[in-house]
Amino acid sequence: VIRVLTDDLLFASGQAALDVRSHPLLAEISQLLNVDETHPIDVEGHTDNVPIHGGLYPSNWELSTARASTVVRFLDEHGVSPARMTASGYAEQRPMASNATAAGRARNRRVEIVMKRIYGSESEP
């Protein structure tokens, strides 16, 4: 799992357009993901529990999914096979920290790039 906190790097608050400062990091990640081109990759978007008011996204569900999709698109444009990737949005449903503090909410606003394990052939238990 590659975990990237979104604040001050990937996205502006309430947005799903990548900040240009994130490009070098995501380009490096795309190279790492291509070291082994067989494992499936799930890009997961997560938010804190603060409701969205106005703007392009009506809820944290749409925002988290749009952010995951944006990262998938970037990885695709940098050589990661789209056949290996999925984008998932979890909104505030899988917090890493308490949403009761600003620091905890910041940890919860993240994108996780998960390289999934491949087990033996389907005929094996």
Side-chain angles (χ1 to χ4, degrees):
V1 176
I2 301 169
R3 184 172 294 131
V4 183
L5 301 182
T6 60
D7 290 6
D8 300 321
L9 178 61
L10 292 185
F11 306 104
S13 178
Q15 301 298 312
L18 282 173
D19 187 305
V20 69
R21 296 175 296 164
S22 69
H23 292 191
L25 173 64
L26 290 174
E28 181 70 26
I29 289 171
S30 68
Q31 290 178 352
L32 294 171
L33 293 173
N34 278 331
V35 168
D36 178 346
E37 297 181 0
T38 58
H39 288 72
I41 299 163
D42 189 18
V43 179
E44 302 175 349
H46 301 268
T47 66
D48 59 26
N49 68 343
V50 176
I52 294 176
H53 299 288
L56 184 59
Y57 304 100
S59 77
N60 282 323
W61 285 109
E62 287 88 356
L63 177 61
S64 64
T65 304
R67 287 179 169 183
S69 296
T70 297
V71 172
V72 163
R73 189 170 48 252
F74 182 95
L75 296 174
D76 174 31
E77 292 168 355
H78 287 81
V80 179
S81 171
R84 294 175 59 200
M85 295 188 286
T86 60
S88 303
Y90 292 102
E92 68 273 6
Q93 300 305 313
R94 296 186 180 180
M96 287 182 42
S98 170
N99 278 306
T101 66
R105 288 187 299 276
R107 289 193 63 210
N108 291 333
R109 294 187 296 267
R110 67 195 188 278
V111 169
E112 293 182 347
I113 302 168
V114 181
M115 186 178 285
K116 297 183 176 186
R117 289 185 179 166
I118 298 177
Y119 295 98
S121 72
E122 290 184 11
S123 63
E124 292 181 13

